[in-house]
């Protein structure tokens, strides 16, 4: 019995709910350390720089640059029909990095070091952060 | 750590037949490997005091080492199932050395086996691939496993001008070595053009930049250096080990061109009182070709950024400066998932015992294995040597 594959949607936990709620509202929210001012992502309990537990949620500028990327030519499962698509690691101006899609671009325009801005893409009831070249 | 230098030795090593093994479950492969390694060590299964395993991906269980012990009909003093992916092999050798040296057990058998090629259903294989990466922050983007490593390859190309031809050269070397190994899963030689004309999976990685999916198992028997002298085969001493753990998720890596192999290699070289120049033969984790390039640099076999030229010059081929993966590695010998890295170590044992026939590195006396789990996540380095190196 083969079930039709579905693309995964993020299942928020108490630690990550603020982040995903932000995405639904069109805001990229990350944590900031009240002691050393570092920004932190993934959502966590302690600052990865100074290990303080005094973290608060703030809005990111949503701006950053491409650290690295790839164009997926052969995808698996529910993603197969989407290929080719561009996956990148983006470093936000605040510091933290995230995996994401680069959307609405000509393939040849994507490069390491290019500036990008966040956008949100709906999947079922969730909104995933994706980035566009600026 | 210095106390552990040369304190223990590998006295038994065995590879099962690898490739496609529809006749064997993962447990069967583990039992076959233990039996072979224990015989190689001139011991009996009933002599085994410590048993370290790694869970099966095809048929995962809660108490894996205990399951293998039960199936062997032994009641070990120590059972441990370790899970650091491909890096598990280094972790298990280090823990075995510590257990033997502290007197927890006189000997330890390390065994790993799995049947990814024939045991997985299609759904299981898809589910297993989809489970790589952070469930909320990575998996929703649908990166197949090669894409994770493509991110690393792309960064290396951008930073250092490494080319697809140079990455392909790693696969060519592995396939050539496997052609000299009678037991390898794939024994056809490849050219750089074959690699470059294979289908593109995720830029810049082609199909032949990716490792195999195989069935297979392997086991090692370790004991104290004193006890090792009574064993029939030449003991291969553990000279040093080290670990490096920078991140679990690739999106959180602080560098995409340098890995925890830096810390892992430094610790292992320091403990063993060796340098990269002392190494005669190396086994480097090779799930994808760019990984070998980064390891060559991070371990100090060539300067940062120069690995592309280094492999292009034939340095990692048999007869080259530092022959790498003389069995063919995960790219061509076999890759049954987590057990894949066991063969990197059993191959070193065979090289240092001078048992490798056509693919023997002449006068091999010091061997290095660098193994990693996850997406450049969990790194471990081992240095092994014959008695003359102690
Ligand atoms: Zn802080």
């Amino acid at each position: 019995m083969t079930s039709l594959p579905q693309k995964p949607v993020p299942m928020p936990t108490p630690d990550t709910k603020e982040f995903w709620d932000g995405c639904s509202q069109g805001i990229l929210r990350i944590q900031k350390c009240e002691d050393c001012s570092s920004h932190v992502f993934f959502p966590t309990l302690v600052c990865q720089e100074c290990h303080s537990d005094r973290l608060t949620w703030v809005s990111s500028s949503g701006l950053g640059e491409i650290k690295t990327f790839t164009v997926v030519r052969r995808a698996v499962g529910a993603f197969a029909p989407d290929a080719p698509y561009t996956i990148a690691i983006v470093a936000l101006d605040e510091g933290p990095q995230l995996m994401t899609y680069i959307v609405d671009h000509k393939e040849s325009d994507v490069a390491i070091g290019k500036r990008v801005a966040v956008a949100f893409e709906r999947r079922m009831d969730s909104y995933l952060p994706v980035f566009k070249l600026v | 750590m210095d106390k552990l230098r040369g304190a223990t030795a590998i006295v038994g090593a065995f590879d099962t037949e690898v490739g496609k093994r529809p006749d064997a479950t993962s447990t069967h492969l583990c039992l076959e490997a233990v039996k072979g390694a224990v015989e190689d060590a001139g011991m009996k299964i009933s002599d085994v005091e410590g048993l370290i395993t790694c869970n099966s991906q095809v048929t995962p269980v809660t108490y894996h080492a205990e399951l293998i012990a039960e199936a062997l009909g032994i009641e070990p003093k120590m059972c441990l199932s370790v899970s650091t992916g491909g890096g598990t092999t280094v972790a298990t050798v280090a823990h075995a050395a510590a257990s033997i040296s502290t007197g927890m057990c006189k000997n330890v058998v390390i065994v790993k086996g799995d049947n990814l090629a024939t045991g997985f259903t299609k759904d299981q294989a898809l589910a297993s691939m989809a489970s790589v990466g952070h469930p909320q922050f990575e998996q929703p983007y649908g990166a197949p496993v090669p894409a994770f490593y493509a991110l690393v390859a792309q960064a290396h190309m951008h930073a250092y001008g490494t080319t697809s031809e140079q990455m392909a050269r790693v696969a060519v070397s592995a396939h050539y070595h496997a052609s000299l190994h009678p037991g390898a899963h794939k024994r056809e030689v490849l050219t750089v053009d074959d690699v470059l004309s294979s289908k593109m999976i995720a830029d810049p990685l082609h199909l032949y930049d990716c490792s195999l999916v195989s069935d297979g198992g392997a086991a090692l028997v370790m004991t104290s250096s004193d006890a090792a002298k009574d064993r029939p085969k030449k003991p291969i001493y553990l000279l040093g080990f080290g670990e490096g753990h920078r991140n679990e998720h690739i999106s959180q890596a602080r560098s995409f061109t340098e890995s925890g192999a830096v810390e892992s290699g430094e610790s292992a070289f320091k403990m063993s009182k060796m340098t990269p120049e002392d190494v005669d033969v190396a086994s480097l984790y090779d799930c994808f070709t760019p990984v070998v390039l980064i390891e060559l640099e991070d371990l100090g076999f060539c300067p940062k950024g120069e690995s592309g030229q280094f492999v292009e010059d034939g340095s990692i081929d048999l007869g080259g400066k530092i022959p790498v993966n003389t069995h063919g590695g995960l790219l061509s010998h076999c890759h049954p998932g987590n057990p894949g890295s066991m063969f990197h170590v059993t191959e070193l044992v065979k090289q240092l015992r001078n048992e490798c026939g056509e693919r023997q590195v002449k006068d091999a006396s010091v061997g290095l294995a660098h193994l990693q789990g996850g997406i450049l996540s969990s790194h471990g380095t081992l240095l092994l040597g014959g008695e003359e190196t102690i």
Side-chain angles (χ1 to χ4, degrees), chain A residues 32-38 40 46-55:
Chain A
K32 184 175 182 183
C33 175
E34 289 181 18
D35 286 309
C36 77
S37 297
S38 294
V40 178
V46 293
C47 168
Q48 284 147 10
E49 286 300 321
C50 75
H51 313 297
S52 159
D53 63 357
R54 302 204 312 137
L55 299 176

Side-chain angles (χ1 to χ4, degrees), chain A residues 16 20 68 70 73 85 123 129, chain B residues 136 140-142 151 201 203 251:
Chain A
T16 65
W20 293 114
T68 185
T70 181
R73 308 278 172 193
Y85 53 93
R123 180 176 300 166
Chain B
Q136 291 181 59
Y141 297 96
L151 295 167
I201 307 293
D203 299 8
S251 65

Side-chain angles (χ1 to χ4, degrees), chain A residues 2-52:
Chain A
T2 308
S3 53
L4 272 177
Q6 283 200 332
K7 288 183 195 171
V9 291
M11 303 295 282
T13 61
D15 288 344
T16 65
K17 189 175 178 303
E18 290 268 359
F19 176 84
W20 293 114
D21 284 351
C23 291
S24 301
Q25 296 155 16
I27 307 165
L28 189 68
R29 308 194 70 200
I30 55 177
Q31 289 169 296
K32 184 175 182 183
C33 175
E34 289 181 18
D35 286 309
C36 77
S37 297
S38 294
H39 289 82
V40 178
F41 183 77
F42 309 149
T44 183
L45 206 66
V46 293
C47 168
Q48 284 147 10
E49 286 300 321
C50 75
H51 313 297
S52 159

